[in-house]
Amino acid sequence: MIDLLKNAKILIIEDEMANLFLLKRILQRKGFNFIESTQDPREALALFHSFQPDLICTDYRMPHINGLELVEQLSEHIPQESYLPIVMLTADVNAELEREALAKGAKDFLNKPFKASQIEVRINNLLHTRMLHNTLQQQNERLETLVRERTIELEIARLDVLERLALASEYRDYTTGQHTQRVGELSAQIAKELGLPEAEVELIQRAACLHDVGKIGIPDEILLKPGKLSDNEWFVMKGHVELGTKLLSKGKSPLVQMAELIAFTHHERYDGSGYPRGLKGDAIPLVGQIVAVADVFDTLVNDRPYKKAWTIDEALKEMKCQRGRWFAPSVLDAFLNVVDAHALNS
């Protein structure tokens, strides 16, 4: 995926040579080699058509045509169904400028003086979203053909998830690593141990991977804080549940509907001390109870910015203490059976 992103074509419109040179140098050092540029915004439209960029960076304050006018001009030539991100380069971002630029078609801002780390995250994020959007378009074209021949429910479900992940990518770049996959796999094993149907087990495995998608909306200084959160920070952190639910809401496929339910309920606790609603006992949906166990176990036995990994024995001891408190007894017992079976087969 990273290699594909580095093959993207980037067009820069910046009238100041020093800034143009610096931005190009940062991008090239980050592995981007297909870069076209101009200091004259009047040449931008012709370059846009000949170069066919995947991403455009334009300065705000320029002679002849300012950045807002150029964004508006370029947006008229970008098909409505496509996603071609335009980034505004400026040293004086204010709320009014941001609103106007976003209304005219800009997707993000890069502040001057440029910071290499900021540029890489923002550019990768926008290009990743473009790649996902292009993938969705290709899949949509294939689905239009398949719809006459056979049911496409699974493909629609995958599209549904991809669309929401693409939307999530626009909020903020965030990588969950292997945690989400491990939680999905462990949740499926617990669901299978509980005797749920095979189709539902598969659905849980996929939907559980989106349990913390709302964390993309949490600021880095809170999400990655190496110590204990303050009360205010903890309040913000808990907001990831609401954001994740909003991102997944109104899904048409069973997969996204289950993912929404998991995102909203996996921090509830069996004794009613969880959040966001303080649900108690079996008022918590079973899928939320399952993912709560899988999520806590994987969090305990792996490093986090605020803690070192616990041993498996330490984690199991703590989770057993939370039987009937944090965790539903039947779900925790199923989890312990899965752990025992894994130990016997290791």
Side-chain angles (χ1 to χ4, degrees), residues 95-253:
E96 184 58 36
L97 173 60
E98 286 190 9
R99 281 195 295 271
E100 191 172 358
L102 292 171
K104 292 181 182 298
K107 297 298 183 185
D108 206 346
F109 293 83
L110 284 178
N111 297 331
K112 300 177 182 178
F114 299 128
K115 295 180 180 179
S117 58
Q118 181 189 59
I119 289 173
E120 182 177 24
V121 169
R122 297 286 182 82
I123 296 299
N124 279 344
N125 181 31
L126 292 169
L127 288 173
H128 184 68
T129 301
R130 173 171 168 80
M131 184 177 296
L132 285 173
H133 185 92
N134 290 342
T135 300
L136 291 177
Q137 281 191 312
Q138 295 168 7
Q139 291 187 7
N140 274 325
E141 291 170 3
R142 289 197 293 269
L143 289 178
E144 287 176 5
T145 301
L146 290 173
V147 71
R148 298 184 182 91
E149 302 173 0
R150 60 186 174 88
T151 179
I152 54 171
E153 181 178 351
L154 181 58
E155 289 299 324
I156 290 177
R158 288 173 179 168
L159 272 178
D160 224 347
V161 173
L162 282 174
E163 287 170 347
R164 280 153 179 78
L165 289 177
L167 174 64
S169 298
E170 289 197 66
Y171 282 98
R172 181 171 64 81
D173 180 72
Y174 174 66
T175 304
T176 56
Q178 297 299 310
H179 170 70
T180 57
Q181 295 179 22
R182 292 192 300 264
V183 169
E185 292 169 2
L186 182 53
S187 296
Q189 293 176 46
I190 296 171
K192 187 175 181 180
E193 180 67 25
L194 287 168
L196 298 185
E198 184 176 344
E200 190 169 358
V201 170
E202 182 178 353
L203 206 58
I204 289 173
Q205 179 170 354
R206 295 181 178 183
C209 293
L210 297 170
H211 68 285
D212 270 343
V213 67
K215 284 187 175 179
I216 59 166
I218 304 302
D220 283 349
E221 59 267 25
I222 295 177
L223 189 64
L224 305 178
K225 184 176 179 179
K228 184 179 179 180
L229 299 180
S230 67
D231 290 344
N232 287 337
E233 290 170 335
W234 179 237
F235 178 80
V236 174
M237 175 66 84
K238 291 195 294 185
H240 81 274
V241 169
E242 300 287 352
L243 178 55
T245 304
K246 182 182 294 186
L247 290 173
L248 296 165
S249 65
K250 300 180 181 179
K252 296 179 181 179
S253 73

Side-chain angles (χ1 to χ4, degrees), residues 277-292:
R277 288 192 174 181
L279 299 179
K280 188 174 182 180
D282 289 335
I284 306 170
L286 180 58
V287 289
Q289 297 178 15
I290 290 172
V291 176

Side-chain angles (χ1 to χ4, degrees), residues 32 53 92 151 241 268 277 332 336-337 345:
F32 295 102
D92 54 354
T151 179
V241 169
E268 299 288 358
R277 288 192 174 181
L332 183 65
L336 294 173
N337 290 339
N345 295 327

